[in-house]
Amino acid sequence: MRFGAPWSTSVKTITILVIVTLGFVVIVGISLLEDAGSGSSILIVLSTIVMPVLTLIASAIWMIRRYVIEGETLQVQRLGWQSKLDLKELESVEVDPEAMDKSLRTFGVGGLFCFCGRFRNKKLGAYRAYATDPKRSVVMKFRDRTVVVSPDRPDDFVASVKERTGL
């Protein structure tokens, strides 16, 4: 089964703002490069052109494109690669649109193309997110960790996971 990963308004807004800001930095860098002497040009190129472009590329690599359930495996498909979760150790799965509320990002991406990485809040404790729309959150509790995903059809996703795992 395949499920889309639609972007929330906040992911769209953050992504657009960051792209525009970094694009502005690149434009400023190019104009500074034209005015600078050769000694400072390497520093200008690295700080205002290379770093913003690498930041966007590195963040885009983590973008979540879709979720695919095959057998007892959940694949979180990204740009050119995927993260796999073994559903054999899944203890519960439920839709919870408020699961990510008041979360603190401890390591990861916080809205640029997705919410991905390690987060923490009072409700879930420490958890791993592979989300693009927190209001579509599905909480998956495994023996040793908690994972939040945000498929386009959360109720169908939960039903499909339960059917495949016998929960």
Side-chain angles (χ1 to χ4, degrees):
M1 295 239 12
R2 290 177 167 238
F3 297 88
W7 287 12
S8 66
T9 301
S10 61
V11 169
K12 290 175 186 175
T13 302
I14 291 167
T15 301
I16 289 169
L17 287 173
V18 170
I19 289 171
V20 167
T21 302
L22 293 178
F24 179 74
V25 170
V26 169
I27 290 168
V28 169
I30 291 169
S31 68
L32 287 174
L33 192 57
E34 292 172 356
D35 297 336
S38 62
S40 60
S41 63
I42 285 281
L43 183 59
I44 291 171
V45 168
L46 288 175
S47 63
T48 63
I49 300 171
V50 174
M51 290 306 293
V53 171
L54 288 179
T55 298
L56 279 179
I57 291 170
S59 298
I61 289 171
W62 296 97
M63 181 189 315
I64 297 163
R65 294 177 43 230
R66 73 180 64 88
Y67 307 93
V68 177
I69 302 171
E70 280 189 3
E72 291 183 325
T73 302
L74 170 62
Q75 299 172 6
V76 180
Q77 295 188 341
R78 318 233 186 164
L79 286 179
W81 66 290
Q82 60 193 357
S83 298
K84 293 184 179 183
L85 300 170
D86 186 356
L87 299 176
K88 292 176 189 162
E89 296 182 9
L90 186 66
E91 294 181 341
S92 69
V93 58
E94 66 179 354
V95 175
D96 184 353
E98 298 171 354
M100 293 184 70
D101 288 358
K102 299 180 182 173
S103 289
L104 173 67
R105 177 177 29 134
T106 56
F107 182 79
V109 178
L112 179 57
F113 299 110
C114 65
F115 294 100
C116 183
R118 299 182 190 282
F119 294 79
R120 171 179 290 284
N121 66 16
K122 285 185 179 181
K123 186 175 196 171
L124 299 177
Y127 68 93
R128 180 104 189 194
Y130 299 96
T132 55
D133 184 355
K135 295 301 175 199
R136 298 175 196 256
S137 291
V138 172
V139 178
M140 305 175 76
K141 293 195 176 184
F142 293 84
R143 289 184 198 141
D144 60 346
R145 66 192 184 282
T146 300
V147 174
V148 176
V149 296
S150 61
D152 58 348
R153 302 177 327 271
D155 293 319
D156 292 343
F157 180 88
V158 167
S160 181
V161 169
K162 284 184 175 182
E163 177 184 316
R164 296 191 185 239
T165 61
L167 289 176

